[in-house]
């Protein structure tokens, strides 16, 4: 039986492109992340920051998770989108087949969990299709054997925005009703992407950690950037740029995921003065079992916002 797509299986780093030279690097990070009690709040707009800040990757290579071929599952077809600074990356996305209608259709860009895309990520998204949405789920740079360097929540935001641009230009898609959602790693990217662009009508990050310091203290093997520069953690933390949300946002996590509560509470406090709504709720269950309920809650939120 293949591993659950919602767990975080790892490749053996010594057998991958990261190579044996990564051992000192990984050992240094194993318990090196210093987690501040309360990450700094920056008042600069996150989208403006991204125009000039470039992450410094000290270790370049693929995403760290085990992966399967990007053969589309039942109910999906494979398309491609271009990303990278000069469009040098051609990346895979899965799209729900649809027939064009007289009226343009709303669409959901859903960001998968983990650092590899698998068929199991697609199955819960049928609820969006049944509710009348076109669904696109993009893979990211360095995932599933694709080109590009894994950066851990920074350059991947460019991939999300590039995928959104591809979705907007599909025939029959209503560009005024592009909704964003994501789970786990995808939930983090959904937060950062919704602070980076006015493209999205609303956003629902699910079980995403708004505090990169805490995330990387738990998963130090995902660090590819200069961890001696605290800005590298801050630009990956929605908490540090909470005033930059550009669309109504509903943060969701499972009732058993109590470790998200402090970060969510602080994020809501920091975003409270925004002219758009940023709110949160819990869904019965854990990191995996809450997903179907969270998808249903996101549909209700999208319809509420669109109305």
């Amino acid at each position: 039986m293949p591993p659950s797509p919602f767990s975080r299986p790892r490749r053996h780093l010594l057998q991958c492109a990261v190579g044996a030279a990564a051992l000192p690097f990984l050992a240094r990070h194993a318990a090196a992340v210093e987690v501040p009690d309360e990450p700094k709040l920056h008042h600069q707009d996150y989208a403006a920051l991204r125009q000039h800040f470039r992450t410094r990757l000290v270790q370049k290579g693929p995403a760290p998770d085990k992966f399967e071929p990007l053969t589309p599952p039942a109910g999906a077809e494979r398309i491609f989108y271009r990303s990278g600074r000069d469009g040098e990356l051609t990346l895979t996305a899965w799209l729900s087949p649809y027939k064009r209608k007289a009226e343009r259709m709303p669409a959901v860009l859903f960001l998968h969990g983990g650092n590899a895309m698998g068929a199991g990520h697609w199955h819960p998204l049928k609820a969006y299709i049944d509710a009348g949405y076109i669904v696109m789920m993009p893979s990211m740079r360095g995932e599933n054997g694709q080109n590009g360097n894994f950066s851990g929540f920074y350059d991947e935001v460019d991939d999300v925005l590039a995928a959104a641009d591809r979705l907007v230009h599909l025939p029959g898609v209503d560009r005024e009703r592009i909704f964003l959602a994501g789970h786990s790693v995808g939930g983090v990217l959904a937060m950062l992407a919704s602070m980076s662009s006015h493209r999205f009508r609303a956003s629902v990050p699910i079980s995403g950690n708004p505090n990169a310091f805490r995330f990387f203290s738990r998963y130090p093997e995902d660090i590819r950037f200069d961890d001696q520069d605290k800005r590298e953690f801050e630009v990956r933390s929605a908490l540090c740029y909470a005033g930059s949300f550009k669309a109504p946002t509903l943060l969701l996590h499972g009732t058993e995921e109590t470790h998200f509560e402090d970060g969510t509470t602080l994020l809501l406090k920091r975003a409270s003065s925004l002219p758009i709504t940023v709110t949160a709720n819990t869904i019965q269950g854990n990191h995996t079992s809450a997903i179907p309920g969270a998808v249903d809650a996101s549909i209700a939120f999208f319809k509420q916002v669109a109305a």
Side-chain angles (χ1 to χ4, degrees):
M1 179 179 294
S4 165
F6 307 110
S7 63
R8 295 177 56 83
R10 297 297 186 187
R11 298 178 190 158
H12 194 294
L13 292 173
L14 288 178
Q15 297 174 346
C16 298
V18 175
L23 279 179
F25 171 80
L26 293 172
R28 181 167 64 83
H29 294 324
V33 179
E34 182 179 344
V35 180
D37 292 335
E38 193 168 293
K40 181 179 179 180
L41 174 63
H42 292 272
H43 297 285
Q44 180 184 13
D45 181 68
Y46 186 67
L49 166 86
R50 293 187 60 83
Q51 294 299 312
H52 64 82
F53 185 88
R54 298 288 180 263
T55 188
R56 189 172 83 85
L57 299 182
V58 296
Q59 189 71 41
K60 296 183 178 181
D65 291 12
K66 293 181 180 179
F67 63 90
E68 58 194 63
L70 285 169
T71 305
E77 59 187 27
R78 185 173 183 171
I79 64 171
F80 299 94
Y81 72 99
R82 302 294 295 273
S83 188
R85 192 172 302 177
D86 299 310
E88 72 275 12
L89 298 175
T90 300
L91 302 173
T92 289
W94 292 338
L95 180 73
S96 60
Y98 64 96
K99 294 182 179 180
R100 293 184 63 178
K101 300 179 180 179
E103 182 179 350
R104 290 182 176 270
M105 299 172 63
V108 174
L109 184 68
F110 191 91
L111 311 178
H112 65 79
N115 297 310
M117 189 165 78
H121 293 120
W122 181 260
H123 299 152
L125 308 188
K126 185 176 182 298
Y128 290 123
I129 301 169
D130 293 343
Y133 295 90
I134 297 167
V135 178
M136 178 177 171
M137 184 167 70
S139 61
M140 305 296 160
R141 64 186 63 204
E143 292 183 346
N144 298 74
Q146 297 181 109
N147 290 335
N149 293 311
F150 172 78
S151 77
F153 300 137
Y154 194 73
D155 291 338
E156 289 80 3
V157 175
D158 290 337
D159 298 339
V160 176
L161 300 181
D165 190 61
R166 178 77 164 93
L167 178 58
V168 162
H169 288 93
L170 290 176
V173 171
D174 185 349
R175 64 174 55 216
E176 301 300 323
R177 291 186 292 164
I178 303 295
F179 299 96
L180 179 65
H183 174 252
S184 192
V185 166
V188 177
L189 289 173
M191 283 184 267
L192 297 174
S194 63
M195 298 192 304
S196 302
S197 171
H198 290 279
R199 174 74 76 188
F200 307 106
R201 184 68 184 85
S203 174
V204 178
I206 304 165
S207 299
N209 196 327
N211 186 340
F213 293 94
R214 291 197 179 280
F215 179 90
F216 288 110
S217 70
R218 184 175 183 184
Y219 298 110
E221 66 271 26
D222 281 6
I223 296 175
R224 299 290 185 273
F225 51 84
D226 179 6
D227 71 337
Q228 300 305 300
D229 184 352
K230 68 177 182 179
R231 294 178 304 168
E232 293 279 9
F233 293 95
E234 291 172 349
V235 299
R236 292 164 166 85
S237 299
L239 271 176
C240 295
Y241 293 89
S244 292
F245 281 101
K246 294 174 173 54
T249 298
L250 172 63
L251 304 164
L252 296 174
H253 63 266
T255 53
E256 298 178 33
E257 298 182 288
T258 55
H259 54 284
F260 285 130
E261 292 175 1
D262 289 348
T264 299
T265 299
L266 182 57
L267 186 67
L268 295 181
K269 178 182 177 182
R270 289 180 168 185
S272 61
S273 62
L274 288 172
I276 49 97
T277 300
V278 179
T279 187
N281 207 343
T282 55
I283 302 295
Q284 187 66 39
N286 57 32
H287 195 67
T288 300
S289 64
I291 293 172
V295 168
D296 289 343
S298 70
I299 292 171
F301 183 68
F302 293 156
K303 290 183 175 179
Q304 175 189 340
V305 170

